[in-house]
Amino acid sequence: MAQSEKEFMSEAIRLATESVKNGGGPFGAVIVKDGEIIAKSSNSVTKDNDPTAHAEVNTIRKACKALQTFDLSGCTIYTSCEPCPMCFGAIHWARLDKIYYANTKADAKNIGFDDSFIYEEIAKPYEKRTIPNIQIFRDEAMVSFRLWQEKTDKIEY
């Protein structure tokens, strides 16, 4: 492992430790481009009253703002723990090139952060899910999809 990789992961772990000491969850992340940290953050779910304020999502938001883009191709994320399903999805939507992680999802489960129920829910038929999934007004909603499909000057993402 290159020295810089150790430094980047050490910073993610430091952010996770600092987060716990300051009332947040035990997660930290940094995003690196061209050998430089361009964004870093920790978990702030309880501090911000925002269930999406995971370290990876917070860091992706900061990186996108810093680089003025929604496409983080060419960037790498270092995170103190294997990403949850939401963060894993966000990392893919942001088009990050690589994920380095320290703790595993099993380690997270052992301290009360268990995401297995999400994987189980996704696999269930709609009618068997814990939160009901009810489709309504599809015809009305298709208008915006048709407009998008026909738009010639759209910015694809």
Side-chain angles (χ1 to χ4, degrees):
M1 179 182 291
Q3 182 62 30
S4 58
E5 290 172 346
K6 290 179 185 177
E7 291 171 13
F8 300 145
M9 184 57 77
S10 293
E11 180 62 6
I13 293 167
R14 184 193 71 73
L15 289 163
T17 303
E18 183 180 288
S19 179
V20 173
K21 292 177 181 177
N22 293 324
F27 306 97
V30 301
I31 292 179
V32 174
K33 183 171 181 145
D34 300 327
E36 300 288 328
I37 293 175
I38 58 165
K40 58 185 176 178
S41 193
S42 58
N43 178 288
S44 61
V45 169
T46 56
K47 289 171 65 175
D48 294 342
N49 292 315
D50 179 352
T52 68
H54 290 199
E56 298 90 338
V57 171
N58 287 343
T59 307
I60 288 168
R61 290 173 179 157
K62 287 182 177 183
C64 289
K65 188 172 185 178
L67 296 176
Q68 297 290 299
T69 184
F70 55 82
D71 183 346
L72 296 178
S73 296
C75 297
T76 299
I77 190 165
Y78 292 79
T79 180
S80 64
C81 187
E82 186 175 356
C84 75
M86 177 184 68
C87 293
F88 188 73
I91 288 165
H92 282 271
W93 283 120
R95 296 185 184 104
L96 287 152
D97 289 357
K98 195 178 291 185
I99 304 167
Y100 287 93
Y101 65 93
N103 293 322
T104 67
K105 61 184 174 186
D107 297 328
K109 180 178 182 176
N110 288 337
I111 63 164
F113 293 94
D114 185 6
D115 300 322
S116 59
F117 75 97
I118 296 172
Y119 297 108
E120 292 164 7
E121 282 293 306
I122 290 170
K124 290 179 184 177
Y126 294 132
E127 65 277 2
K128 302 252 182 177
R129 291 183 178 173
T130 304
I131 298 173
N133 288 231
I134 304 158
Q135 183 182 29
I136 61 172
F137 292 98
R138 180 174 181 260
D139 290 340
E140 292 83 349
M142 287 299 294
V143 171
S144 59
F145 276 23
R146 281 191 291 279
L147 285 171
W148 175 259
Q149 193 172 22
E150 296 164 2
K151 189 172 176 63
T152 58
D153 63 342
K154 62 187 166 208
I155 299 172
E156 306 239 4
Y157 59 95

